[in-house]
C-alpha cells in the first residue's frame, strides 16, 4: 500500500479483508469482529446474517468509522475501489461517508432530528458534500428525492417534521437522505425490522428499483432470512465475530454446509408450509464475545460437534470469488444428511408447575382450525374504543374522534389461539388493551370465562385479572429494572391476593425453561429470550385461562423466537390456555394460530381457520398481506405473486367512506362505475359464504 492509502489489488467495488475490531484495551480485549472478509460489487446485494452479537453490525459500522470510542480497528483493510478507507484522515473519511458509502439504520425516528423539517435534513446532507450547491437548489433536490422514494406530494411533505410521518415514510426519508449524493455503496442495517410486512415490501421494492436505476451496491444486514431470500445475491453468515459460511443466495438455502446456517434455517417458521409439530431452535444462546469458547465458537450449541471441534478454529474453506461457496465446518457431510432428511423435533413432556387440562399433547391443535371450542374463554361483542382528536389550525384538522376499534366481535376457546393481524395503526393493540380494560372500552361487552369484564367494579376487576393476562412485545420495558426476577414473580401473587411459597418461584422458572438461580438476577443480566420467558412466567403465574400475546417474539432472533414459540405451545397444550396472539409476522401466524382475524382501520375484514385463510384469502387486503410476506426460498420467491400495496393506512380520524380499504385496493380500478360507487358509498359487513367459519367484509370477495 502506498503512503496515500491507495492500492490497486482489489477487483471489487468494496472489499473487507481480515478485519479485526476490539472493544476495551489491555491484553485481553473483547474481540467483536475477528478476521472478517467479504466483498460486494456494483449493482449487487450482499446480505450479512446472524444472531445478535455475531458482529455483523459492528463489522459494517467500522467501515465508516461509526463504532463507539471504546472500539478499535485492530487489523485488516477496507478497500473502496482499491482505496483504503481505514488509513484515511478523519476529515477525508467524513467526505466519503454519505457521498460514496451511505447508511440506512434500523430506527428512523431516532436517526432524524425532530426539530428540523425532513426537507432541511436532506438538503443538509446534500450541502455537506457539495458546498457549491445553494440552499434553494438543495431544497429543490430534496423535494425531487422525496418524490423518487415514493412520497406523495413531496413539496408539501418536505416542509413537515419527522413526527408527522409514519414509520414507513420515515424510512423512505432516510433512504432519500442516504441517496442524496448518489453513493456507490448503501449499507442497510436492519432497514425493515420495525415495519409492517406491507411497508417492508414497499421499502425493499423501492431499494431494488433504485439499485437497478443507479447501479448501487447494497450491503443488507438482517436476521430476516425471508427478506434475504427475496433480495440478496450472496450471503455472508456470521457467528462469534467470524464468517462461518458464504455463498450465492440459492446455494445457502438449498445446501447449507455449516451447522449454524442449517440451524438458522431449521428454526424458521414459514408462511409457505403447514406448521410442524414443533420448531427446531438452536439450543443455548450465542457466546459472549468476551469469553468465546475454544475451537469452533458454535460447538457448545452444535448437535454435530465432536472433540476435534474444540481444538482449533476451523478455517474458511472452498473456492473464493463471487460464485464460490465457502464454509468453516468440519461436519459438512452430516449437515448435508440432516438437510436431506430433516428430523421432526420430539415434543417435550408436560412441564411442571402448571395445571393440566384435558387437552391432547400431540401435534394437532386443540381446536380444529376454523371452529370455536365449546367452552369459550373469551367472548367479545360490539367492542368499540374511540379517542378524541384535537382540532384547530395548528393541528391541520377539524376536531373529532378516532374510532380505533369500531364494533368488533371475537371468540376464543379453551386451548385455542386466535391470531389478530394487520398493519400498525389498525387497532390490534388497542383491541387487546380494551379487552383487558387497560383501556376502558367505549361500548360493547367482554366476557372472560363466566365474568362480564366490562361490568366489573375496580375491586372485582383487580381480582379478575388473575384469569386474564398479557405478555408484552418488549420484555425489558415491562419488567422493573430495580427488582430481581424472583421479586418480580413473587409480586404477582401478593398484588392479586395470593401468597407464594418457597417453591413457587423456582417451579415457575422451571416451567418456562429457566433455572432457579435466575431468580436472583436483575433484568439487565438476562438475554432477550430469557427476559421474554420471565414475562411469560409472570403472565401464567396465577393460572389464567386467557392470555394476550402482543408481538411477543418480534424483537427476538430466529432461534430464540423458535424457543419462545415452542414454550407457548407447550404451555397451551398442558394448561388449555386461550391465546389472543397479536402480530404482523404471518409466518408466525401460520405456525401458531388455529384461527386468524384480519384487522384494518379498526374493523375486522376477514376471519377464518388458519389453513383456510392461507389457502383461500378472500379479502384483497388479506391477499396483499400474504403476498407481501417473504418466503425463505429464493426459487419460490421468484415464482410467487407479489402484491405491493401503495400508500399508507389512511388517517383514522378521517377514514374513507364506504369500504375503508378502497383507497389502497388493487381490485377497485377493475370494477365498473356502479360497483365502484358501491365501494365508495356502502360500508361492507362481515358475512359468511358457503363456509360459515370463513367470513369476509368485502362487496366483491373472491371476484
Amino acid at each position: 500500500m502506498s503512503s496515500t492509502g491507495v492500492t490497486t489489488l482489489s477487483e471489487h467495488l468494496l472489499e473487507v479483508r481480515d478485519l479485526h475490531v476490539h472493544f476495551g484495551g489491555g491484553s485481553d480485549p473483547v474481540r467483536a469482529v475477528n478476521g472478517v472478509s467479504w466483498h460486494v460489487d456494483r449493482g449487487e446485494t450482499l446480505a450479512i446474517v446472524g444472531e445478535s452479537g455475531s458482529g455483523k453490525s459492528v463489522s459494517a459500522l467500522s467501515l465508516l468509522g461509526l463504532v463507539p470510542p471504546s472500539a478499535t480497528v485492530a487489523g485488516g483493510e477496507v478497500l473502496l475501489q482499491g482505496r483504503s478507507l481505514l488509513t484515511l484522515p478523519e476529515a477525508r473519511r467524513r467526505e466519503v461517508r454519505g457521498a460514496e458509502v451511505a447508511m440506512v439504520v434500523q430506527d428512523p425516528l431516532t436517526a432524524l432530528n425532530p426539530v428540523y423539517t425532513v426537507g432541511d435534513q436532506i438538503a443538509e446532507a446534500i450541502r455537506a458534500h457539495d458546498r457549491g450547491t445553494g440552499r434553494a437548489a438543495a431544497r429543490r433536490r430534496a423535494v425531487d428525492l422525496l418524490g423518487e422514494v415514493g412520497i406523495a406530494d413531496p413539496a408539501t411533505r418536505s416542509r413537515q417534521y419527522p413526527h408527522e410521518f409514519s414509520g414507513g415514510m420515515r424510512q423512505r426519508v432516510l433512504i432519500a437522505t442516504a441517496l442524496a449524493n448518489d453513493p456507490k455503496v448503501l449499507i442497510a442495517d436492519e432497514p425493515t425490522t420495525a415495519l409492517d410486512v406491507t411497508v417492508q415490501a414497499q421499502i425493499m421494492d423501492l431499494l431494488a428499483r433504485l439499485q437497478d436505476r443507479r447501479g448501487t451496491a447494497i450491503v443488507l444486514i438482517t436476521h430476516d432470512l425471508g427478506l434475504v431470500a427475496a433480495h440478496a445475491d450472496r450471503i455472508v453468515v456470521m457467528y462469534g465475530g467470524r464468517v462461518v459460511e458464504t455463498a450465492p443466495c440459492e446455494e445457502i438455502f438449498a445446501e447449507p454446509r455449516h451447522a449454524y446456517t442449517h440451524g438458522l434455517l431449521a428454526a424458521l417458521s414459514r408462511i409457505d408450509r403447514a406448521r410442524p409439530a414443533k420448531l427446531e431452535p438452536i439450543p443455548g444462546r450465542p457466546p459472549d464475545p468476551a469469553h468465546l469458547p475454544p475451537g469452533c465458537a458454535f460447538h457448545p450449541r452444535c448437535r454435530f460437534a465432536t472433540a476435534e471441534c474444540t481444538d482449533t478454529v476451523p478455517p474458511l474453506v472452498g473456492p473464493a470469488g463471487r460464485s464460490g461457496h465457502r464454509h468453516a465446518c468440519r461436519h459438512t457431510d452430516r449437515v448435508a444428511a440432516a438437510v436431506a432428511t430433516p428430523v421432526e423435533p420430539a415434543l417435550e413432556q408436560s412441564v411442571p408447575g402448571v395445571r393440566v387440562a384435558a387437552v391432547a399433547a400431540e401435534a394437532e391443535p386443540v381446536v380444529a382450525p376454523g371452529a370455536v371450542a365449546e367452552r369459550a374463554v373469551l367472548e367479545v361483542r360490539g367492542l368499540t374504543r374511540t379517542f378524541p382528536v384535537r382540532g384547530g389550525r395548528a393541528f391541520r384538522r377539524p376536531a373529532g374522534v378516532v374510532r380505533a376499534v369500531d364494533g368488533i366481535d371475537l371468540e376464543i376457546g379453551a386451548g385455542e389461539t386466535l391470531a389478530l393481524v394487520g398493519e400498525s395503526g389498525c387497532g390490534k393493540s388497542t383491541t387487546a388493551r380494551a379487552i383487558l380494560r387497560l383501556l376502558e372500552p367505549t361500548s360493547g361487552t367482554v366476557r372472560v370465562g363466566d365474568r362480564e369484564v366490562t361490568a366489573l367494579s375496580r375491586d372485582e376487576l383487580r381480582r379478575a385479572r388473575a384469569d386474564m393476562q398479557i405478555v408484552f412485545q418488549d420484555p425489558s420495558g415491562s419488567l422493573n429494572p430495580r427488582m430481581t426476577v424472583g421479586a418480580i414473580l413473587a409480586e404477582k401473587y401478593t398484588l392479586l391476593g395470593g401468597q407464594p411459597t418457597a417453591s413457587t418461584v423456582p417451579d415457575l422458572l422451571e416451567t418456562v425453561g429457566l433455572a432457579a438461580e435466575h431468580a436472583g438476577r436483575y433484568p439487565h443480566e438476562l438475554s432477550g429470550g430469557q427476559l421474554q420467558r420471565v414475562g411469560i412466567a409472570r403472565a401464567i403465574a396465577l393460572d389464567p385461562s386467557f392470555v394476550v400475546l402482543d408481538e411477543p417474539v418480534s424483537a427476538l432472533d430466529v432461534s430464540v423466537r423458535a424457543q419462545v414459540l415452542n414454550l407457548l405451545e407447550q404451555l397451551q397444550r398442558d394448561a388449555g390456555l386461550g391465546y389472543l396472539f397479536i402480530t404482523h409476522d404471518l409466518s408466525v401466524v401460520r405456525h401458531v394460530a388455529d384461527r386468524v382475524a384480519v384487522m384494518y382501520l379498526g374493523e375486522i375484514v376477514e376471519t377464518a381457520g388458519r389453513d383456510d385463510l392461507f389457502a383461500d384469502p378472500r379479502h384483497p387486503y388479506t391477499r396483499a398481506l400474504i403476498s407481501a410476506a417473504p418466503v425463505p426460498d429464493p426459487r419460490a420467491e421468484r415464482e410467487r405473486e407479489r402484491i405491493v400495496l401503495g400508500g399508507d393506512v389512511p388517517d383514522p380520524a378521517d377514514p374513507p367512506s364506504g369500504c375503508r380499504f378502497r383507497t389502497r385496493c388493487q381490485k377497485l380500478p377493475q370494477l365498473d362505475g356502479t360497483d365502484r360507487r358501491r365501494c365508495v358509498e356502502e360500508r361492507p359487513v362481515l358475512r359468511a359464504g358457503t363456509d360459515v367459519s370463513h367470513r369476509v367484509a368485502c362487496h366483491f370477495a373472491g371476484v
Side-chain angles (χ1 to χ4, degrees):
M1 186 186 301
S2 71
S3 61
T4 60
V6 175
T7 178
T8 57
L9 299 179
S10 178
E11 60 185 31
H12 304 292
L13 175 60
L14 178 67
E15 184 176 9
V16 176
R17 293 179 177 174
D18 196 29
L19 182 68
H20 294 256
V21 181
H22 296 171
F23 283 81
S27 59
D28 190 23
V30 176
R31 292 170 170 78
V33 177
N34 205 356
V36 165
S37 300
W38 50 261
H39 66 268
V40 64
D41 296 319
R42 186 177 187 276
E44 182 184 32
T45 297
L46 174 74
I48 303 179
V49 303
E51 294 170 287
S52 298
S54 64
K56 56 187 189 296
S57 292
V58 174
S59 65
L61 290 170
S62 63
L63 312 184
L64 302 175
L66 296 177
V67 290
S70 59
T72 302
V73 177
E77 288 184 297
V78 177
L79 306 175
L80 178 65
Q81 290 185 311
R83 180 181 41 177
S84 174
L85 297 184
L86 299 182
T87 59
L88 291 177
E90 181 56 29
R92 182 69 186 99
R93 189 182 295 184
R94 281 198 299 269
E95 295 176 6
V96 172
R97 200 160 48 219
E100 298 183 65
V101 182
M103 190 164 192
V104 177
V105 297
Q106 177 176 349
D107 186 0
L109 189 58
T110 57
L112 295 170
N113 193 320
V115 301
Y116 290 98
T117 66
V118 298
D120 282 345
Q121 293 184 62
I122 298 172
E124 180 186 26
I126 295 170
R127 298 190 72 244
H129 295 282
D130 185 4
R131 288 298 179 183
T133 301
R135 295 183 185 277
R139 289 194 184 101
R140 288 193 297 270
R141 171 66 174 148
V143 171
D144 292 341
L145 284 164
L146 288 174
E148 188 176 1
V149 297
I151 291 181
D153 193 8
T156 300
R157 284 295 196 173
S158 70
R159 298 190 292 272
Q160 294 179 331
Y161 294 86
H163 73 270
E164 298 179 88
F165 285 63
S166 67
M169 292 174 67
R170 286 194 290 263
Q171 196 64 286
R172 289 172 185 267
V173 171
L174 279 191
I175 293 172
T177 306
L179 296 176
N181 295 289
D182 198 20
K184 300 177 177 67
V185 180
L186 183 66
I187 299 174
D189 189 1
E190 300 280 7
T192 63
T193 295
L195 302 179
D196 294 314
V197 62
T198 52
V199 182
Q200 180 187 84
Q202 293 174 13
I203 295 300
M204 295 308 300
D205 184 60
L206 167 66
L207 287 175
R209 292 198 310 271
L210 293 173
Q211 184 180 46
D212 289 343
R213 190 182 311 155
R214 294 165 173 253
T216 310
I218 295 177
V219 179
L220 177 63
I221 302 170
T222 183
H223 65 263
D224 188 337
L225 293 176
L227 203 69
V228 169
H231 298 282
D233 297 304
R234 290 185 299 109
I235 301 174
V236 168
V237 183
M238 288 188 65
Y239 187 84
R242 297 181 182 274
V243 174
V244 296
E245 186 164 8
T246 180
C249 184
E250 284 196 14
E251 287 191 33
I252 286 281
F253 282 90
E255 300 177 20
R257 297 180 184 175
H258 196 283
Y260 177 59
T261 311
H262 171 255
L264 289 178
L265 294 173
L268 283 175
S269 54
R270 300 182 55 140
I271 192 174
D272 58 332
R273 294 179 184 174
R275 73 179 184 183
K278 187 169 176 283
L279 294 173
E280 186 180 354
I282 302 172
R285 55 189 291 189
D288 182 349
H291 302 94
L292 291 173
C296 174
F298 185 61
H299 83 259
R301 307 172 70 193
C302 180
R303 61 175 167 140
F304 308 117
T306 57
E308 63 179 328
C309 298
T310 66
D311 294 338
T312 57
V313 176
L316 201 63
V317 298
R322 179 183 173 88
S323 59
H325 191 155
R326 311 189 76 197
H327 62 85
C329 184
R330 293 185 172 91
H331 301 294
T332 54
D333 53 341
R334 298 177 65 188
V335 173
V339 172
T341 56
V343 178
E344 188 71 34
L347 287 170
E348 299 171 2
Q349 299 298 314
S350 297
V351 291
V354 182
R355 82 176 147 82
V356 178
V359 176
E362 53 263 2
E364 293 303 314
V366 173
V367 181
V372 179
E374 292 183 7
R375 181 169 67 89
V377 296
L378 174 71
E379 295 182 24
V380 177
R381 294 290 178 263
L383 184 67
T384 301
R385 170 68 195 198
T386 63
F387 296 91
V389 176
R390 296 177 65 184
R393 185 178 300 174
F395 295 94
R396 301 192 182 118
R397 60 162 51 130
V401 296
V402 173
R403 302 184 69 85
V405 181
D406 199 3
I408 69 169
D409 300 335
L410 295 173
E411 290 183 351
I412 300 176
E416 182 188 34
T417 298
L418 173 68
L420 187 61
V421 303
E423 295 168 291
S424 296
C426 72
K428 305 186 301 294
S429 293
T430 304
T431 297
R433 283 157 174 74
I435 288 172
L436 299 174
R437 281 186 62 185
L438 299 176
L439 290 171
E440 288 294 335
T442 304
S443 63
T445 61
V446 176
R447 182 175 291 276
V448 175
D450 58 358
R451 295 185 182 93
E452 187 173 328
V453 175
T454 45
L456 298 177
S457 67
R458 179 174 295 184
D459 288 341
E460 290 170 332
L461 178 61
R462 187 182 183 89
R463 291 192 294 271
R465 291 206 185 281
D467 202 36
M468 52 184 191
Q469 290 291 303
I470 185 168
V471 176
F472 296 97
Q473 175 179 356
D474 180 9
S476 61
S478 64
L479 301 175
N480 191 327
R482 293 183 175 89
M483 297 174 65
T484 65
V485 168
I488 289 170
L489 297 180
E491 182 187 43
K492 191 74 173 187
Y493 293 86
T494 56
L495 285 175
L496 296 178
Q499 187 60 46
T501 66
S503 63
T504 297
V505 170
D507 286 349
L508 197 54
L509 289 171
E510 185 182 358
T511 296
V512 296
L514 295 175
E517 58 261 26
H518 286 105
R521 297 184 186 178
Y522 289 88
H524 73 273
E525 298 178 285
L526 303 181
S527 69
Q530 289 173 329
L531 285 172
Q532 197 59 287
R533 288 172 184 265
V534 173
I536 293 168
R538 183 174 61 176
I540 66 169
L542 293 170
D543 199 19
S545 63
F546 165 63
V547 179
V548 172
L549 303 166
D550 192 358
E551 298 278 9
V553 296
S554 63
L556 304 179
D557 287 320
V558 60
S559 183
V560 180
R561 177 182 303 186
Q563 294 173 13
V564 172
L565 291 177
N566 285 344
L567 170 64
L568 290 170
E569 290 188 287
Q570 188 69 46
L571 292 170
Q572 184 176 56
R573 281 191 294 268
D574 290 341
L577 295 170
Y579 289 153
L580 177 63
F581 199 110
I582 298 172
T583 183
H584 65 264
D585 188 333
L586 294 185
S587 67
V588 171
V589 171
R590 186 71 188 265
H591 179 75
V592 304
D594 299 306
R595 290 185 300 119
V596 184
V598 182
M599 199 168 184
Y600 186 80
L601 216 60
E603 301 178 328
I604 301 295
V605 298
E606 186 164 6
T607 180
R610 177 200 65 231
D611 293 339
D612 189 16
L613 185 94
F614 282 97
D616 183 25
R618 299 176 188 175
H619 196 284
Y621 179 58
T622 310
R623 291 180 181 175
L625 287 178
I626 293 174
S627 73
V631 172
D633 183 336
R635 296 174 185 174
E637 272 293 334
R638 288 200 303 266
E639 298 170 358
R640 64 195 292 253
E641 176 192 15
R642 298 301 297 270
I643 302 170
V644 179
L645 287 180
D648 294 291
V649 178
D651 184 351
D654 185 24
S657 61
C659 174
R660 295 183 178 182
F661 183 63
R662 65 176 174 81
T663 57
R664 305 170 73 197
C665 181
Q666 66 272 19
K667 187 182 296 186
L668 189 69
Q670 304 167 10
L671 302 176
D672 60 30
T674 302
D675 290 340
R676 194 175 301 181
R677 280 195 301 274
R678 186 181 179 193
C679 293
V680 172
E681 298 171 0
E682 182 183 340
R683 182 178 175 180
V685 298
L686 200 64
R687 59 168 59 92
T690 54
D691 180 357
V692 295
S693 66
H694 195 154
R695 297 184 294 164
V696 59
C698 178
H699 296 308
F700 305 101
V703 176

